[in-house]
């Protein structure tokens, strides 16, 4: 019997499909000189409409498509996260293409919408088949966007590396799903969770979970699945780098939370130690290698690996506090990292370089860019009273409460290490003399956007209570 479909539960996804279809029709049939000016504004308008529908779905719970699609507090939380991420990435893309006016922006915007659709389905997946399709929708759009600058050899190289390793990751996920299906006889999350609650972990199940986690590890950029990060972060268009560092990483952590902290929660005793070791290795590797980088996007790539390690501490804890701390950390990371990437794009538009040495004396050339980047760096390092501080504090508290004192000590040492290279970049911006005396002009809309980013970082740090409560509410239903 064909299952009854609750269309309201998938209304956000339907709106994204409708927006994508309308924009595609405009791109095909509207004259070029007109569509170049309206695709961007229409995209922002559509995002605002979808955001309104998202607010209206607060508290909505249920499943549809035969239990393959779920709308719960976790899905609602991350869909809002992805909407905010995409709104900022659209701003980054508009500024980025000022330096690449010959490239087709409209197709890039359509690919961003496709990536948003994939992230939404990842958040609401309740079946491995839906999850796999959602990941492929997201990843394929990222493949194209990574290699989008056809005239840039670094972009083409980054796209090829991401494609090869991403295809390998997808293959691992599919093999893991196949082996798990052979044992549990289902791809539905609820049926597999029931199996996990009543059966011990067999070697076949363990092997399948290792393969599945390899795909998750690829998304979150954790060691040893990090090989693609430095080259792809450096070579991809900067808005894509920003999306990879926040949106794609968050999609990976939705998978991790939904699977390893809910569906496979009965086996967390074994997996908690694995997460703890991977967290420690990722933090140490990312921070130590970041110290020697000369390209700012590459530095943020290794920093992203380290932040994946911090986030995995919450997975190692496996508690409500640990999972909520992961969510709060991701929200702080969203505003901090994307604000930093906006500075990188605005600076690149003027100096045409991503080399750290060319950031010398940035504050003397543009005070708003220098101040904004400094605040972002301090937050990433975990200094009070900014968003990054409370995020790290919550993760450390959850880790200690779960008995991983050694992991908390390693994290504390890594926070000091990260402070070193972040402050070395700050020294370059504030103390080193500029190579040129010319002033970097920043438009008033971008100044206001940078101030909004600073405000978000400060507010999340000073008034974390309501936001952390929302993160707790988002994960209570899965524990």
């Amino acid at each position: 019997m064909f299952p009854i479909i609750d269309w309201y539960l998938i209304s956000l996804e339907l709106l994204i499909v409708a927006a994508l279809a309308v924009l595609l029709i405009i791109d095909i049939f509207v004259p070029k000189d007109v569509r170049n000016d309206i695709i961007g504004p229409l995209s922002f308008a559509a995002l605002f409409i979808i955001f309104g529908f998202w607010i209206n779905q607060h508290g909505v719970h249920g499943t549809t498509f035969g239990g393959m699609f779920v709308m719960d507090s976790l899905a609602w939380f991350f869909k809002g996260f992805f909407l905010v991420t995409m709104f900022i990435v659209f701003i980054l893309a508009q500024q980025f293409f000022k330096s690449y006016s010959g490239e087709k922006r409209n197709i890039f915007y359509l690919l961003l919408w496709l990536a948003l659709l994939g992230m939404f389905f990842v958040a609401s997946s309740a079946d491995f088949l839906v999850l796999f399709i959602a990941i492929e929708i997201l990843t394929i759009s990222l493949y194209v966007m990574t290699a989008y600058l056809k005239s840039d050899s670094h972009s083409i190289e980054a796209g090829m590396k991401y494609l090869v390793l991403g295809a390998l990751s997808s293959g691992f996920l599919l093999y893991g799903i196949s082996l798990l299906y052979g044992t549990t006889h289902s791809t539905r999350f609820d049926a597999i969770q029931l199996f996990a609650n009543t059966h011990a972990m067999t070697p076949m199940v363990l092997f399948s979970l290792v393969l599945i986690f390899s795909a998750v590890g690829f998304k979150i950029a954790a060691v040893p699945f990090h090989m693609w990060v430095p080259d792809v972060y450096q070579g991809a268009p900067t808005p894509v780098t920003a999306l990879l560092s926040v949106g794609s990483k968050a999609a990976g952590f939705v998978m991790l939370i939904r699977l390893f902290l809910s569906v496979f929660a009965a086996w967390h005793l074994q997996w908690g130690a694995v997460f703890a070791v991977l967290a420690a290795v990722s933090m140490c590797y990312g921070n130590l290698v970041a110290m020697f980088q000369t390209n700012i996007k590459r530095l943020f790539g290794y920093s992203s690996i380290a932040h994946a390690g911090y986030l995995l501490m919450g997975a190692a804890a496996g508690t409500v506090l640990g999972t909520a701390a992961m969510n709060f950390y991701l929200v702080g990371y969203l505003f901090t990292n994307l604000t930093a990437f906006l500075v990188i794009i605005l600076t690149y538009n003027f100096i045409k370089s991503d080399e750290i040495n060319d950031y010398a004396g940035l504050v003397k050339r543009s005070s708003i860019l220098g101040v904004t980047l400094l605040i972002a760096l301090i937050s990433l390092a975990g200094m009070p009273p900014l968003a990054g501080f409370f995020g790290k504090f919550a993760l450390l508290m959850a880790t200690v409460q779960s008995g991983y004192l050694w992991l908390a000590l390693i994290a504390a040492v890594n926070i000091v290490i990260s402070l070193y290279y972040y402050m070395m970049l700050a020294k370059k911006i504030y103390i080193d003399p500029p190579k040129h005396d010319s002033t970097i002009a920043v438009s008033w809309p971008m100044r206001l956007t940078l101030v909004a980013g600073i405000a978000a970082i400060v507010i999340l740090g000073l008034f974390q209570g309501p936001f952390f409560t929302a993160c707790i509410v988002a994960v209570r239903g899965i524990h």
Side-chain angles (χ1 to χ4, degrees):
M1 183 176 178
F2 192 78
I4 298 175
I5 299 174
D6 188 342
W7 295 104
Y8 183 68
L9 293 179
I10 62 168
S11 58
L12 294 174
E13 287 75 14
L14 293 175
L15 284 172
I16 293 175
V17 172
L20 182 58
V22 170
L23 293 173
L24 182 60
I25 292 171
I26 291 173
D27 187 58
I28 294 173
F29 295 104
V30 174
K32 182 178 180 181
D33 57 338
V34 176
R35 68 172 182 255
N36 288 340
D37 297 328
I38 64 173
I39 291 289
L42 284 177
S43 293
F44 282 111
L47 283 174
F48 275 113
I49 293 172
I50 295 172
F51 190 80
F53 274 83
W54 170 79
I55 293 175
N56 192 52
Q57 284 198 336
H58 178 63
V60 174
H61 295 81
T63 60
T64 187
F65 285 102
M68 300 174 72
F69 182 98
V70 62
M71 187 64 184
D72 56 9
S73 56
L74 183 69
W76 185 84
F77 176 88
F78 273 100
K79 286 179 182 181
F81 181 99
F82 294 139
L83 281 172
V84 175
T85 299
M86 197 56 69
F87 182 83
I88 301 175
V89 170
F90 268 105
I91 296 175
L92 298 182
Q94 282 198 329
Q95 296 302 310
F96 175 79
F97 280 106
K98 290 183 178 180
S99 291
Y100 294 91
S101 57
E103 300 290 345
K104 296 180 179 179
R105 291 177 294 171
N106 297 342
I107 298 176
F108 190 86
Y109 291 151
L110 296 176
L111 289 167
L112 287 176
W113 278 102
L114 193 62
L116 180 62
L117 180 64
M119 290 188 288
F120 267 48
F121 272 111
V122 169
S124 283
S125 295
D127 186 285
F128 270 112
L129 298 179
V130 176
L131 179 63
F132 181 77
I133 294 170
I135 293 171
E136 290 306 293
I137 292 173
L138 169 60
T139 308
I140 290 173
S141 62
L142 288 172
Y143 292 156
V144 181
M145 287 189 288
T146 301
Y148 200 77
L149 302 178
K150 299 183 291 295
S151 58
D152 188 339
S153 60
H154 293 293
S155 179
I156 300 298
E157 179 185 357
M160 287 299 298
K161 289 182 178 179
Y162 191 51
L163 172 62
V164 172
L165 293 175
L168 187 63
S169 167
S170 297
F172 285 162
L173 175 60
L174 200 55
Y175 277 120
I177 294 171
S178 301
L179 294 174
L180 190 62
Y181 176 80
T183 304
T184 63
H185 308 295
S186 178
T187 56
R188 285 261 303 271
F189 289 174
D190 53 357
I192 296 173
Q193 185 172 9
L194 180 62
F195 179 90
N197 292 337
T198 55
H199 293 77
M201 186 187 298
T202 63
M204 180 67 76
V205 170
L206 176 61
F207 186 51
S208 67
L209 296 191
V210 169
L211 292 174
I212 291 170
F213 180 76
S214 67
V216 176
F218 177 84
K219 281 294 177 192
I220 66 177
V223 175
F225 311 102
H226 66 284
M227 298 82 71
W228 60 276
V229 173
D231 292 334
V232 173
Y233 272 47
Q234 181 180 356
T238 307
V240 182
T241 304
L243 182 59
L244 286 167
S245 71
V246 176
S248 181
K249 183 183 291 288
F253 275 101
V254 175
M255 293 167 58
L256 188 148
I257 293 170
R258 184 78 73 185
L259 296 177
F260 289 88
L261 301 182
S262 179
V263 177
F264 308 136
W267 298 324
H268 185 268
L269 182 63
Q270 298 93 324
W271 277 96
V274 175
F275 291 144
V277 172
L278 292 179
V281 175
S282 297
M283 284 186 287
C284 293
Y285 177 83
N287 284 321
L288 289 174
V289 180
M291 295 169 61
F292 304 99
Q293 301 309 306
T294 59
N295 181 283
I296 193 166
K297 289 170 66 177
R298 202 172 183 88
L299 181 146
F300 272 82
Y302 283 106
S303 170
S304 176
I305 296 170
H307 287 288
Y310 297 133
L311 285 158
L312 280 173
M313 292 195 301
T319 59
V320 172
L321 176 60
T323 312
M326 291 167 62
N327 287 356
F328 183 88
Y329 194 96
L330 283 169
V331 173
Y333 190 67
L334 184 164
F335 290 105
T336 304
N337 227 39
L338 295 187
T339 300
F341 274 110
L342 179 57
V343 173
I344 291 172
I345 288 175
L346 294 173
T347 305
Y348 180 87
N349 286 348
F350 195 87
I351 67 175
K352 305 302 179 186
S353 173
D354 288 321
E355 294 301 309
I356 292 176
N357 284 334
D358 292 321
Y359 278 71
L362 177 64
V363 72
K364 297 181 177 66
R365 305 179 68 183
S366 173
S367 58
I368 184 66
L369 293 179
V371 170
T372 304
L373 188 54
L374 176 64
I375 292 174
L377 293 174
I378 292 174
S379 180
L380 287 171
M383 294 296 101
L386 304 178
F389 167 75
F390 185 78
K392 285 186 171 64
F393 177 78
L395 285 170
L396 288 170
M397 186 165 58
T399 304
V400 172
Q401 288 184 1
S402 298
Y404 290 104
L405 180 60
W406 62 271
L407 181 58
L409 293 174
I410 292 175
V413 172
N414 273 277
I415 290 172
V416 175
I417 295 173
S418 69
L419 182 62
Y420 168 78
Y421 65 79
Y422 285 133
M423 289 304 98
M424 288 300 294
L425 179 54
K427 169 186 172 294
K428 185 75 65 176
I429 294 169
Y430 273 81
I431 298 178
D432 289 4
K435 292 186 176 181
H436 302 282
D437 296 329
S438 56
T439 301
I440 299 177
V442 181
S443 65
W444 277 108
M446 286 302 100
R447 287 176 179 269
L448 292 175
T449 304
L450 291 171
V451 170
I454 294 173
I457 295 169
V458 174
I459 290 171
L460 281 169
L462 293 177
F463 308 102
Q464 68 284 137
F467 302 100
F468 196 76
T469 300
C471 293
I472 293 175
V473 171
V475 302
R476 270 182 179 159
I478 67 166
H479 281 275

